[in-house]
Amino acid sequence: MRLCFVFAVLVLFFCAVSAQRSNPCKKENGLFPHDQYCDYYYECENGVAQERACPNGLAFAGKSRGLIMSCDYPHRVGCPGQDGSIMGQTPIGTENCPWLYGVFAHQTSCTRYWQCWNGTATIQQCPFSLLYNDVLHSCDWPDNVPDCQKHPICKDQPNGHIPIEKSCGRFWLCVGGYPRLQRCPAGLAFSPTALRCELSQNVPGCEPPPTTPAAEDEDDSKVAGNQVQADAPPRRANNARPAGQFRAQNGK
């Protein structure tokens, strides 16, 4: 009888431990990550867990985080995870979108990429001299994108300086076959012959405009004479009467 009682207590104990381990709710209420899949999560209310799914192509980022419904792009939240978590949903693809949501490489261009939102693809363009890096899902320096084609600007000069037509202060710096836009410091211009920044007056077509000489000061005597005339009191007319005499005549 005593052995049966001990056995029953042990069974209840292990059942309680097992239930605690299988319950994904770390707190009675809140959102918690799925134990296997990045794009699923648990919504707990009063200690009861309900499994929820992120929009197709997004992964759970945490409560009040991410782009939509507490979910974000997988590469932003570290999916696949180091714990072995992966995307569990089946991809729903549309034109140019492998998933309904996400950032994806262009099929033929290294400078453009697709941004998909609910199955609608919008073409995006990387800034000057950058290429799309499909590993980082963002634009990156060309030398960090080895699988992309060389840029036509640097086809004849993979490493060096390339002048820009009709530009005095800017030039291309080619590194490993990819261009980077550069600018000369103030007062300098890029020389297409020397292939470096030099003084603007030494680069034909980039000379600074001539300065206009300042106007000479007027002659001091003229200025003094004008000042005297300006300060002198106005002359009285010959037939003008003094004010006192005029009042005396009116008083007669």
Side-chain angles (χ1 to χ4, degrees):
M1 184 69 180
R2 185 177 180 180
L3 291 176
C4 293
F5 176 76
V6 173
F7 179 76
V9 170
L10 291 176
V11 170
L12 292 175
F13 174 77
F14 284 113
C15 289
V17 171
S18 177
Q20 185 176 5
R21 289 181 178 177
S22 61
N23 187 1
C25 298
K26 299 178 181 179
K27 297 181 180 179
E28 288 192 355
N29 299 287
L31 303 180
F32 304 98
H34 198 276
D35 51 358
Q36 288 182 302
Y37 302 116
C38 303
D39 48 355
Y40 287 91
Y41 61 95
Y42 296 106
E43 182 178 6
C44 296
E45 185 175 354
N46 297 325
V48 179
Q50 295 289 333
E51 189 178 76
R52 306 297 184 190
C54 287
N56 190 258
L58 300 182
F60 179 66
K63 185 177 181 180
S64 302
R65 298 180 181 178
L67 297 172
I68 181 175
M69 296 174 56
S70 300
C71 300
D72 206 334
Y73 295 131
H75 63 273
R76 288 184 177 178
V77 300
C79 182
Q82 296 181 354
D83 57 353
S85 57
I86 58 175
M87 300 289 282
Q89 299 182 41
T90 301
I92 301 176
T94 61
E95 185 178 4
N96 300 317
C97 295
W99 299 72
L100 292 183
Y101 293 84
V103 181
F104 307 102
H106 194 273
Q107 296 85 341
T108 59
S109 175
C110 287
T111 60
R112 295 181 294 174
Y113 60 95
W114 296 106
Q115 187 169 23
C116 296
W117 189 265
N118 197 23
T120 301
T122 303
I123 193 70
Q124 303 291 338
Q125 179 74 43
C126 286
F128 253 135
S129 74
L130 298 184
L131 303 178
Y132 179 74
N133 189 329
D134 198 28
V135 177
L136 301 178
H137 298 276
S138 63
C139 297
D140 198 359
W141 290 114
D143 44 338
N144 295 331
V145 191
D147 296 333
C148 205
Q149 72 267 17
K150 304 296 182 181
H151 201 284
I153 291 178
C154 304
K155 62 180 180 179
D156 298 327
Q157 179 74 305
N159 295 284
H161 301 87
I162 306 295
I164 298 178
E165 187 178 0
K166 297 181 180 180
S167 178
C168 290
R170 299 183 300 169
F171 61 95
W172 293 109
L173 173 62
C174 291
V175 179
Y178 301 104
R180 298 181 181 180
L181 187 63
Q182 305 291 316
R183 186 182 298 273
C184 290
L188 302 183
F190 186 77
S191 172
T193 55
L195 297 180
R196 63 185 181 187
C197 294
E198 295 186 346
L199 293 174
S200 300
Q201 56 265 31
N202 297 334
V203 180
C206 296
E207 300 89 346
T211 57
T212 304
E216 297 182 357
D217 295 337
E218 297 183 5
D219 185 70
D220 294 340
S221 60
K222 293 182 179 180
V223 174
N226 292 337
Q227 184 67 29
V228 171
Q229 294 178 2
D231 294 340
R235 298 180 62 183
R236 188 177 62 183
N238 294 331
N239 57 354
R241 295 181 179 181
Q245 183 180 357
F246 179 77
R247 287 196 297 268
Q249 292 177 356
N250 289 340
K252 291 182 179 180

